[in-house]
Amino acid sequence: MPSLNFENAKQEFRDYYNENYDLLDGAMNSFVTLVNSLIRNSSDITISKIEGRVKERNECVKKFSRKYRATLEAEGHEYQIIDHISDLIGVRVVCLYEDDIEKIKELLCAHFEVVDITDKIAQIESTENYFGYKGLHLDLKLNEQRRTLPEYSKFFDFGFEIQIRTIIQDSWSVLDHKIKYKKSIPNSLKRRINSLAALFEVADREFREIRNATEAILQAEDLTQEQIAKETDLVQVGEATSKTKAYILNAFSFLKIANHFFPGFDFEPHKVDGFTEEIVSLKKGITRGKFNFYLRENIATVKKYKEFFENKNTGETLNPYTMIRHCLYLGDKEAFSNLLSSHVMEAFKEWLVDNG
């Protein structure tokens, strides 16, 4: 019952919490599962983690006392603590990039009844000299359609708070909370904390910009095999244009071409980066057309050598990386002699003489 007696209200809340904890925990798990399903079925949003919790009982009482009790009692408003704890059930969604937050917000608002929205991102960004926790908080309830479904019949009356953050924002929140929460921080340290928060904000922005730049490079390298073949033909007849020459081999074009010649092989990203850098360092200015030309012209010979090598050396094999090394060596022995060890090169030369 609503009351102005804090001790009575506190005991009433504790009784409610104890009696309903299992139901609250079940609701939390159900909401996490639903949110997880909705977001992960959206192909353009990448999630780091989705987790939930039922707020600890005493923390609820402390939050009420800190934020609401004095005002309510000063104004003579009777209260129940449960009415002022919107985050009793909490869900946290941690995504990769800042612009994913708005996408997640729109998705969830379309599938839940929205009770309230607290945009801490806008609050922080509207200030000129303050940095701190950034995130979007939504107070949600099941919409009418889901309330009628049997799996939600026990939870239809529960609301929950969902926090949407980037990885950077989540990391800052944890660190900031540990440093400042419930402590008196001198102004000199507050300035240092704000400076650190600004660096986190810059990191968030840079990750987004790097993603955008990477996607632009990927789009530029999204070629058909016919387009690559056309560039290769121009290289072969010595008619490559200045535009063609500008397409220097990079990790993305390497993958595009290598996957054509070796479909189904898993070219691990960390190996591709290093291998591409090695190729480019040995032949400055090598284009994707030239790289494709070396593979196209020499792959048949290298496949024959692979068969010979594996028949002669039981249990050993030439993987695609090694086959590419042999193709490049055949294409330009002077530039790519260092791609093969002396022992491997001599064995290959000997086979070439015998099968020339």
Side-chain angles (χ1 to χ4, degrees):
M1 294 289 293
S3 170
L4 277 173
N5 185 312
F6 179 64
E7 292 302 318
N8 289 345
K10 182 166 59 175
Q11 187 58 50
E12 182 180 348
F13 174 77
R14 287 175 173 172
D15 291 342
Y16 168 86
Y17 188 98
N18 294 339
E19 292 169 5
N20 291 278
Y21 180 81
D22 288 343
L23 193 59
L24 290 165
D25 190 57
M28 179 271 293
N29 288 317
S30 181
F31 296 153
V32 167
T33 299
L34 177 55
V35 169
N36 183 66
S37 176
L38 290 171
I39 296 176
R40 294 191 186 278
N41 284 335
S42 178
S43 59
D44 64 339
I45 301 174
T46 304
I47 294 299
S48 170
K49 64 180 178 180
I50 299 177
E51 57 190 7
R53 60 101 183 97
V54 177
K55 196 177 187 73
E56 202 274 329
R57 184 185 65 181
N58 288 337
E59 280 301 310
C60 293
V61 175
K62 290 176 183 178
K63 177 180 178 179
F64 170 81
S65 185
R66 184 174 66 252
K67 295 185 66 174
Y68 305 109
R69 179 186 172 189
T71 301
L72 290 169
E73 291 182 355
E75 295 176 354
H77 295 307
E78 293 185 344
Y79 54 78
Q80 288 181 293
I81 293 176
I82 187 62
D83 294 335
H84 299 273
I85 308 298
S86 61
D87 62 342
L88 181 56
I89 298 174
V91 177
R92 181 177 301 159
V93 176
V94 181
C95 56
L96 300 188
Y97 305 106
E98 277 188 305
D99 49 5
D100 285 335
I101 292 177
E102 186 63 26
K103 296 176 186 176
I104 296 169
K105 171 190 172 184
E106 292 178 359
L107 177 67
L108 296 179
C109 287
H111 286 273
F112 290 94
E113 177 185 319
V114 179
V115 178
D116 192 25
I117 297 177
T118 304
D119 190 347
K120 295 180 180 289
I121 298 174
Q123 291 174 5
I124 292 295
E125 292 182 346
S126 65
T127 63
E128 295 180 356
N129 58 358
Y130 178 74
F131 301 88
Y133 168 72
K134 294 173 69 177
L136 183 69
H137 295 188
L138 307 177
D139 291 334
L140 304 175
K141 297 185 74 171
L142 293 169
N143 61 20
E144 290 187 12
Q145 181 181 4
R146 282 200 168 83
R147 289 176 196 171
T148 62
L149 299 176
E151 59 266 39
Y152 300 115
S153 60
K154 294 186 293 184
F155 313 132
F156 74 91
D157 202 34
F158 289 132
F160 66 101
E161 179 190 79
I162 184 161
Q163 299 176 351
I164 311 171
R165 308 170 176 173
T166 66
I167 290 176
I168 299 295
Q169 291 167 359
D170 190 53
S171 299
W172 170 251
S173 174
V174 173
L175 292 170
D176 188 47
H177 187 81
K178 291 293 184 183
I179 294 170
K180 293 196 305 187
Y181 189 54
K182 298 180 184 175
K183 296 177 182 178
S184 178
I185 303 293
N187 286 334
S188 60
L189 289 182
K190 287 181 181 178
R191 287 176 59 84
R192 291 174 64 183
I193 290 170
N194 281 347
S195 297
L196 182 59
L199 293 178
F200 273 70
E201 191 171 315
V202 170
D204 235 339
R205 188 180 307 123
E206 283 301 301
F207 275 118
R208 187 184 68 231
E209 292 301 319
I210 290 169
R211 179 207 60 188
N212 292 343
T214 302
E215 289 176 351
I217 295 172
L218 279 170
Q219 188 173 6
E221 299 294 350
D222 188 19
L223 305 171
T224 64
Q225 194 56 36
E226 290 73 18
Q227 288 172 303
I228 295 174
K230 184 177 180 180
E231 288 184 19
T232 304
D233 291 339
L234 290 173
V235 168
Q236 184 175 14
V237 299
E239 295 180 359
T241 65
S242 59
K243 184 177 180 181
T244 301
K245 291 178 181 178
Y247 295 132
I248 302 300
L249 182 72
N250 59 34
F252 301 113
S253 51
F254 173 92
L255 275 175
K256 187 76 175 182
I257 295 166
N259 283 326
H260 171 72
F261 286 96
F262 304 98
F265 182 77
D266 182 18
F267 287 95
E268 304 96 321
H270 68 283
K271 290 185 179 180
V272 169
D273 287 341
F275 191 40
T276 305
E277 287 179 6
E278 184 180 8
I279 294 169
V280 173
S281 70
L282 292 173
K283 190 173 181 67
K284 302 293 184 183
I286 181 173
T287 64
R288 62 195 185 193
K290 194 71 172 179
F291 176 71
N292 189 72
F293 172 75
Y294 288 144
L295 266 61
R296 189 182 73 179
E297 294 300 301
N298 299 303
I299 191 65
T301 299
V302 174
K303 284 182 176 179
K304 290 178 182 178
Y305 178 65
K306 171 182 166 67
E307 183 179 359
F308 162 80
F309 176 87
E310 292 177 355
N311 286 335
K312 181 180 178 182
N313 303 278
T314 305
E316 296 187 45
T317 187
L318 297 185
N319 66 36
Y321 286 107
T322 306
M323 294 177 70
I324 292 172
R325 291 177 183 273
H326 283 75
C327 287
L328 294 175
Y329 170 75
L330 281 179
D332 190 332
K333 294 183 176 63
E334 182 178 352
F336 294 116
S337 59
N338 287 338
L339 279 178
L340 301 176
S341 67
S342 57
H343 172 73
V344 170
M345 188 188 302
E346 289 305 316
F348 189 38
K349 284 181 177 179
E350 184 178 335
W351 179 84
L352 289 171
V353 170
D354 294 339
N355 294 270

